[in-house]
Amino acid sequence: EDQVTQSPEALRLQEGESSSLNCSYTVSGLRGLFWYRQDPGKGPEFLFTLYSAGEEKEKERLKATLTKKESFLHITAPKPEDSATYLCAVQVALYSGGSNYKLTFGKGTLLTVNP
Amino acid sequence: DGGITQSPKYLFRKEGQNVTLSCEQNLNHDAMYWYRQDPGQGLRLIYYSQIVNDFQKGDIAEGYSVSREKKESFPLTVTSAQKNPTAFYLCASSWTGNQPQHFGDGTRLSIL
């Protein structure tokens, strides 16, 4: 069974204090790993897709990396507006050789950045 | 602006009642999805559709039904058979099955 585990469950930082969020996964045939940001009462907002080990993506203060077993979301010098729940999801094919895919989500990391 | 519109934002259901959640997208995406989000749990897939007039069950389809008569619309009906319907429901769409999914802002369903 595909599993996605995010840690920590919650993280509290001071403004400017850099840190990393972890997403570890066990899946059969990873097709992609996605990071989303979710604000309270809103739908997830797409951040990054990573497709292969060693790949990195950056956007403003966020940088996502991928290995064969986990992904990290690095937050450099965070600001209070970075406070949100960050979701990780892995994509696998529903059937071997098929074109239907499924996302399995982790439970998320609640990030709070204090001014 | 292109996007995904879910309505209503809040919905209340009485015991034994069916309710329908609306999801409309103007992104011209082929694939659409419905997820359920409960506190402390990851998003769970209810139904998905890759093309018009075709849809597949996800991990937790019992007590739910969908239709896909138009490319831009994918309504979800929560039937009286769903015994624990209180949750935050999210609709998503994507270009093809392996492209990033983009989400609407959800409908929160509660039981009266």
Side-chain angles (χ1 to χ4, degrees):
Chain A
E1 181 178 331
D2 301 331
Q3 288 193 337
V4 180
T5 303
Q6 291 189 246
S7 61
E9 292 184 7
L11 180 63
R12 190 177 294 270
L13 300 174
Q14 289 299 123
E15 184 172 2
E17 179 186 1
S18 301
S19 188
S20 296
L21 311 183
N22 177 263
C23 172
S24 63
Y25 59 89
T26 53
V27 298
S28 302
L30 178 73
R31 296 301 181 100
L33 186 140
F34 298 82
W35 282 99
Y36 289 86
R37 169 194 169 122
Q38 186 175 24
D39 293 304
K42 299 286 189 180
E45 174 190 349
F46 170 70
L47 294 173
F48 304 110
T49 307
L50 301 166
Y51 289 109
S52 57
E55 190 175 358
E56 299 182 352
K57 294 274 181 73
E58 285 189 68
K59 179 180 179 180
E60 297 180 355
R61 294 177 293 282
L62 300 177
K63 178 180 177 180
T65 62
L66 181 65
T67 72
K68 289 186 177 180
K69 293 186 177 181
E70 60 191 347
S71 176
F72 291 94
L73 184 65
H74 307 278
I75 303 175
T76 302
K79 298 181 178 181
E81 52 262 42
D82 294 323
S83 298
T85 296
Y86 289 86
L87 303 175
C88 167
V90 296
Q91 185 178 61
V92 297
L94 281 165
Y95 305 103
S96 177
S99 60
N100 288 356
Y101 297 88
K102 172 185 172 180
L103 281 183
T104 298
F105 282 84
K107 295 180 180 180
T109 293
L110 175 61
L111 174 66
T112 303
V113 182
N114 295 317
Chain B
D1 286 339
I4 301 170
T5 301
Q6 291 189 241
S7 62
K9 190 170 179 63
Y10 300 96
L11 187 58
F12 298 91
R13 195 191 89 169
K14 295 180 180 179
E15 295 287 343
Q17 186 181 49
N18 294 353
V19 292
T20 297
L21 285 60
S22 171
C23 177
E24 302 278 333
Q25 55 99 358
N26 60 3
L27 299 168
N28 202 31
H29 286 167
D30 293 309
M32 297 187 73
Y33 312 81
W34 274 105
Y35 292 89
R36 170 180 173 142
Q37 187 173 35
D38 295 282
Q41 293 200 39
L43 277 69
R44 291 182 290 168
L45 182 64
I46 304 173
Y47 268 97
Y48 66 97
S49 169
Q50 299 290 326
I51 57 172
V52 175
N53 292 322
D54 185 56
F55 49 82
Q56 307 294 330
K57 292 181 179 180
D59 297 321
I60 54 165
E62 185 174 351
Y64 300 97
S65 65
V66 294
S67 63
R68 186 87 187 275
E69 298 177 359
K70 298 186 295 183
K71 186 176 184 178
E72 59 270 23
S73 178
F74 191 41
L76 173 74
T77 296
V78 183
T79 74
S80 57
Q82 172 49 242
K83 298 306 180 186
N84 185 23
T86 297
F88 189 47
Y89 291 87
L90 289 160
C91 178
S93 69
S94 68
W95 282 112
T96 60
N98 67 341
Q99 294 298 309
Q101 296 178 19
H102 298 272
F103 287 82
D105 275 342
T107 292
R108 188 166 299 280
L109 176 63
S110 302
I111 301 303
L112 290 177

